[in-house]
């Protein structure tokens, strides 16, 4: 069996050229030359927030260092403003009057039994003098601040 296909006449159709089908685009702008001022990229936003965080941390550290500096300055001022030699002399006088001499009196108690009233008066007077010296030094150091 053989098949006979009908014969069709194919008309001669000229297709237009491909270049003619596309519309001509005039002046395509360069994307790199565009300045988008209203739109910030995600990377720029992250960098900006990181910079702000770093600045905040530095400001906090500066404030901490400033308070430490002020504390150290106050401590140094309190040390240097009080006359240290006056404190040393007060300590020496109180130590001799209230500790060393009474210790010697107790040590030689057998030899000083005849002077009990004088020793008793000395103990009371030395205690009062020592307390007056310490009170005077405290008032002096408080006023010199």
């Amino acid at each position: 069996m053989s098949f006979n296909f009908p014969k069709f006449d194919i008309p001669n159709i000229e297709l237009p050229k491909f270049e003619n089908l596309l519309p001509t685009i005039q002046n395509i702008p360069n994307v790199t030359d565009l300045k988008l001022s209203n739109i910030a990229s995600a990377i720029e936003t992250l960098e900006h927030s990181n910079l702000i965080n770093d600045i905040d941390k530095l400001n906090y550290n500066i404030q901490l260092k400033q308070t430490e500096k002020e504390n150290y300055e106050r401590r140094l001022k309190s040390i240097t403003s009080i006359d240290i030699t006056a404190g040393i002399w007060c300590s020496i006088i109180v130590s001799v009057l209230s500790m060393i001499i009474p210790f010697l009196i107790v040590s030689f108690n057998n030899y000083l039994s005849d002077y009990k009233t004088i020793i008793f008066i000395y103990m009371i007077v030395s205690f009062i003098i020592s307390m007056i010296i310490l009170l005077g030094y405290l008032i002096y150091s408080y006023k010199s601040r």
Side-chain angles (χ1 to χ4, degrees):
M1 265 182 47
S2 72
F3 289 107
N4 287 331
F5 292 110
K7 291 187 177 179
F8 295 106
D9 282 335
I10 299 176
N12 190 4
I13 300 175
E14 287 187 26
L15 294 175
K17 292 183 179 180
F18 184 71
E19 293 89 17
N20 294 337
L21 290 176
L22 294 175
T24 57
I25 299 174
Q26 299 174 0
N27 295 335
I28 298 174
N30 190 356
V31 179
T32 58
D33 291 340
L34 293 177
K35 294 182 180 177
L36 303 174
S37 60
N38 295 334
I39 301 172
S41 69
I43 294 173
E44 288 173 351
T45 306
L46 287 174
E47 287 175 352
H48 182 68
S49 64
N50 285 340
L51 283 174
I52 289 174
N53 288 337
D54 290 342
I55 289 171
D56 287 341
K57 287 177 186 176
L58 286 174
N59 283 336
Y60 179 72
N61 287 335
I62 288 171
Q63 289 175 351
L64 282 179
K65 296 296 181 184
Q66 187 69 27
T67 55
E68 285 180 13
K69 179 187 167 197
E70 290 171 359
N71 288 338
Y72 286 131
E73 284 176 351
R74 266 191 247 122
R75 289 179 185 173
L76 283 173
K77 185 179 176 184
S78 67
I79 289 172
T80 57
S81 67
I82 299 171
D83 192 8
I84 302 268
T85 57
I88 292 172
W89 280 110
C90 287
S91 300
I92 290 171
I93 291 170
V94 169
S95 298
V96 169
L97 286 177
S98 298
M99 291 189 290
I100 295 175
I101 293 176
F103 176 76
L104 291 175
I105 290 172
V106 170
S107 299
F108 297 109
N109 191 16
N110 294 335
Y111 301 109
L112 301 172
S113 60
D114 298 335
Y115 305 104
K116 284 187 179 181
T117 56
I118 297 173
I119 293 173
F120 181 72
I121 292 171
Y122 171 77
M123 294 291 210
I124 292 174
V125 170
S126 69
F127 177 76
I128 292 171
I129 291 172
S130 298
M131 292 303 116
I132 290 173
I133 289 172
L134 289 176
L135 182 65
Y137 180 69
L138 287 175
I139 291 172
Y140 169 74
S141 64
Y142 180 75
K143 284 184 178 180
S144 65
R145 276 192 199 174

